[in-house]
Amino acid sequence: RALALVPPDARVAAQSPLVPHLSRRREIYMLRGAGPVDDVDVVVAAMGDVSSWPFSTPFDVRARIAHYESLGFSRVFDEHGWVVLKRGGAR
């Protein structure tokens, strides 16, 4: 359900295990500790269900999500450890 919220033309950042499921998107970036924040429209992260790589722990994933939120991204999905953020999005 989380991945279904990513528009087909969105520039998206996601953890490595999620990238294959988003590969039909125009542009996709690895969600990392630092990255092309200005170049993405959507961020997808999962804590617990999948590997947190390239982060060491789910805590590191949560910290990166908080960073995107501090830059104006909003949660449009938050269930069972899966989070989808959209630039300027709202529930």
Side-chain angles (χ1 to χ4, degrees), residues 1-26:
R1 290 184 11 178
L3 298 179
L5 294 173
V6 180
D9 61 342
R11 296 168 298 174
V12 61
Q15 290 157 263
S16 177
L18 306 178
V19 169
H21 303 284
L22 296 163
S23 63
R24 292 189 171 209
R25 300 311 186 269
R26 180 178 64 165

Side-chain angles (χ1 to χ4, degrees), residues 29-88:
Y29 300 94
M30 291 283 286
L31 182 61
R32 301 175 186 264
V37 175
D38 293 337
D39 292 339
V40 299
D41 305 307
V42 178
V43 176
V44 181
M47 295 157 284
D49 286 349
V50 298
S51 166
S52 57
W53 194 91
F55 299 97
S56 298
T57 67
F59 177 79
D60 297 329
V61 177
R62 282 191 290 277
R64 190 62 177 158
I65 290 168
H67 175 73
Y68 275 93
E69 289 176 315
S70 76
L71 296 172
F73 285 74
S74 299
R75 289 181 192 226
V76 295
F77 185 87
D78 186 352
E79 291 182 19
H80 308 290
W82 286 75
V83 175
V84 177
L85 306 175
K86 287 189 178 179
R87 182 183 298 278

